[in-house]
Amino acid sequence: EHEATAARAVVSDLGDEFVTLREYELGDDLRRVHWRSTARTGELMIRQDEARWRSRAAVVLDVQPGAHDAASFEVAVEAAASVTARLARLRRRAEVITSAGEVLGTGGDPRHDVIDVLATVGPDPRDQLVTVFEQLRAHRRVDLVVAVLGRVTPDTLRALGTFGGIGVVVVLTQPAALAPQTSVVVVDASATPFATAWNETLSGVARGSRRSSAWS
């Protein structure tokens, strides 16, 4: 129960406000300036969640030809790019990995733009999806996994349920019946535009986590 609560808190944190402070950096949104602290210190101060700055995430994209039709593949690539960009804006470094085990890059890395790489990615028949999940779980180098999937196999479902305290978001681009798991958040983008499905689902998780915190 504790692990499930911790995992869902990590996921709900994707939509929360910044709550601590750091110095302004070029490109920061001036609407997030904390003016009282700025006046006190004489330096522009930005609201920033310190935990987000340190944490890492993984975006795993299923590129197996059998997992998609042409439409769902495009949705999956768009979803992976959108999530990676969102995490970078939240100052969370997100490693992007395909189901073939290929590391495409890290969101927010100034040396190259992984979003550009995603724009050129194509189907790959190598099936290393479960192995990728197992390695992420074994090395515990991330606190959030976003798995962007097409058709879901039983092996994939079993692997998704083994992350323990790591937050897991599954983005579905093909219809699937998933048994509810308290540590896994499912965003169903198979029949709803990805952005709409993501916002509605994550908003609901955030509200639920705040209610849990109030009663704990």
Side-chain angles (χ1 to χ4, degrees), residues 3 24 38 59 69 152 167 189 197:
E3 285 190 342
Y24 173 85
T38 295
V59 177
D69 55 29
V152 182

Side-chain angles (χ1 to χ4, degrees), residues 12 44 48 54 70 79 81 93 96-97 111-112 117 142 149 156 164 167 190 193 209 212:
S12 69
L44 278 175
Q48 168 68 48
R54 293 193 298 263
R93 296 181 67 81
V96 182
I97 312 166
R111 293 170 295 183
H112 72 281
V117 178
V142 299
L149 307 177
T156 300
S190 63
S209 291
S212 297

Side-chain angles (χ1 to χ4, degrees), residues 103-117:
V103 178
L104 300 183
T106 302
D109 188 336
R111 293 170 295 183
H112 72 281
D113 190 349
V114 71
I115 305 300
D116 289 344
V117 178

Side-chain angles (χ1 to χ4, degrees), residues 49-103:
D49 184 333
E50 192 173 311
R52 275 195 199 113
W53 178 257
R54 293 193 298 263
S55 62
R56 298 181 67 89
V59 177
V60 181
L61 173 62
D62 189 353
V63 294
Q64 297 173 81
H68 295 282
D69 55 29
S72 72
F73 189 86
E74 291 303 315
V75 172
V77 172
E78 173 200 350
S82 298
V83 170
T84 303
R86 166 70 172 166
L87 291 168
R89 287 195 298 273
L90 293 176
R91 297 185 177 275
R92 298 184 68 159
R93 296 181 67 81
E95 189 175 49
V96 182
I97 312 166
T98 73
S99 55
E102 182 180 359
V103 178

Side-chain angles (χ1 to χ4, degrees), residues 3-59:
E3 285 190 342
T5 301
R8 293 180 75 84
V10 169
V11 172
S12 69
D13 185 53
L14 290 172
D16 281 356
E17 295 293 329
F18 292 87
V19 296
T20 60
L21 302 175
R22 61 171 174 80
E23 291 185 4
Y24 173 85
E25 296 175 359
L26 186 64
D28 282 332
D29 187 345
L30 290 174
R31 291 174 297 182
R32 298 208 332 265
V33 170
H34 192 270
W35 293 109
R36 184 174 298 177
S37 297
T38 295
R40 187 179 70 251
T41 63
E43 300 286 343
L44 278 175
M45 301 298 291
I46 299 290
R47 293 190 297 275
Q48 168 68 48
D49 184 333
E50 192 173 311
R52 275 195 199 113
W53 178 257
R54 293 193 298 263
S55 62
R56 298 181 67 89
V59 177

